Amino acid sequence: VINSQFKEPKFAFSGACAGCGETPYIKLLTQLFGDHLIISNATGCSSIYSGSTPSMPYNLPWASSLFEDNAEYGYGMLLANNMIRERIKKIMSNNINPLYQKWIDNMNDYEITKEVYDNLDFDKVEPEIKELKDYIIKRSVWTIGGDGWAYDIGYGGIDHVLASNENV
């Protein structure tokens, strides 16, 4: 992807084995999606190089689930995020102003929701909006794991999540 390597990665200095093929893909993923990326990670190699104390190579929201449940775990993150954002939409609709309308009309666009977030005065918004402000910006949820998770134990979970046709 043009110019992707000029963007600062949100994944660096992992504890992966030398020559690991997964880490360059994760680094690229963080360069493509940056601050609006949320990662659900299956237990395995990727959780070891991603979260072994005292190192933490991610500079974004990241959580690890049980090996076989990662697809469902990430899908749950997406559903929870979507429900909270629908709550924000309802609050904004009940207290409409031009900025809120812009967000409502573009709530699935990262750039516009980030612009609205940056222009909100959180000292003057409704208390619920202030409480839920971390969900105003559109996020992209990704589930990451190795071949064991994808093709063995967790295969049924991946099938079900893909069948949902949700953007995860």
Side-chain angles (χ1 to χ4, degrees):
V1 177
I2 296 173
N3 293 326
S4 66
Q5 294 306 295
F6 293 113
K7 293 183 179 178
E8 182 179 346
K10 303 288 183 184
F11 180 84
F13 310 112
S14 73
C17 299
C20 176
E22 274 184 54
T23 55
Y25 289 110
I26 295 172
K27 175 185 165 278
L28 177 60
L29 183 67
T30 69
Q31 289 170 301
L32 293 174
F33 292 93
D35 291 331
H36 62 287
L37 179 64
I38 297 172
I39 294 178
S40 167
N41 189 80
T43 298
C45 275
S46 56
S47 65
I48 302 307
Y49 64 64
S50 296
S52 296
T53 305
S55 113
M56 176 53 157
Y58 284 109
N59 186 17
L60 48 81
W62 171 90
S64 184
S65 75
L66 294 174
F67 180 75
E68 67 274 11
D69 297 333
N70 192 48
E72 296 91 336
Y73 185 68
Y75 185 53
M77 292 170 130
L78 177 72
L79 292 177
N81 196 29
N82 289 348
M83 288 185 76
I84 293 169
R85 296 185 88 240
E86 284 297 322
R87 187 170 154 203
I88 292 169
K89 181 180 178 182
K90 184 177 180 181
I91 297 164
M92 287 183 174
S93 295
N94 292 335
N95 299 280
I96 204 73
N97 66 40
L99 207 51
Y100 285 1
Q101 189 63 55
K102 186 173 187 175
W103 187 88
I104 291 167
D105 293 342
N106 301 283
M107 67 184 281
N108 291 316
D109 183 308
Y110 167 76
E111 298 296 333
I112 294 174
T113 57
K114 173 97 169 77
E115 177 188 328
V116 169
Y117 178 90
D118 290 341
N119 288 302
L120 284 172
D121 182 350
F122 289 104
D123 292 328
K124 295 180 181 176
V125 299
E126 294 72 21
E128 285 184 85
I129 296 287
K130 187 174 182 177
E131 179 184 322
L132 301 172
K133 70 180 183 179
D134 292 338
Y135 296 90
I136 292 173
I137 300 171
K138 173 65 177 159
R139 305 290 181 188
S140 180
V141 179
W142 289 72
T143 59
I144 294 175
D147 61 347
W149 163 69
Y151 299 114
D152 187 19
I153 297 171
Y155 182 71
I158 289 176
D159 259 8
H160 294 133
V161 170
L162 291 175
S164 75
N165 207 27
E166 293 284 346
N167 187 13
V168 64

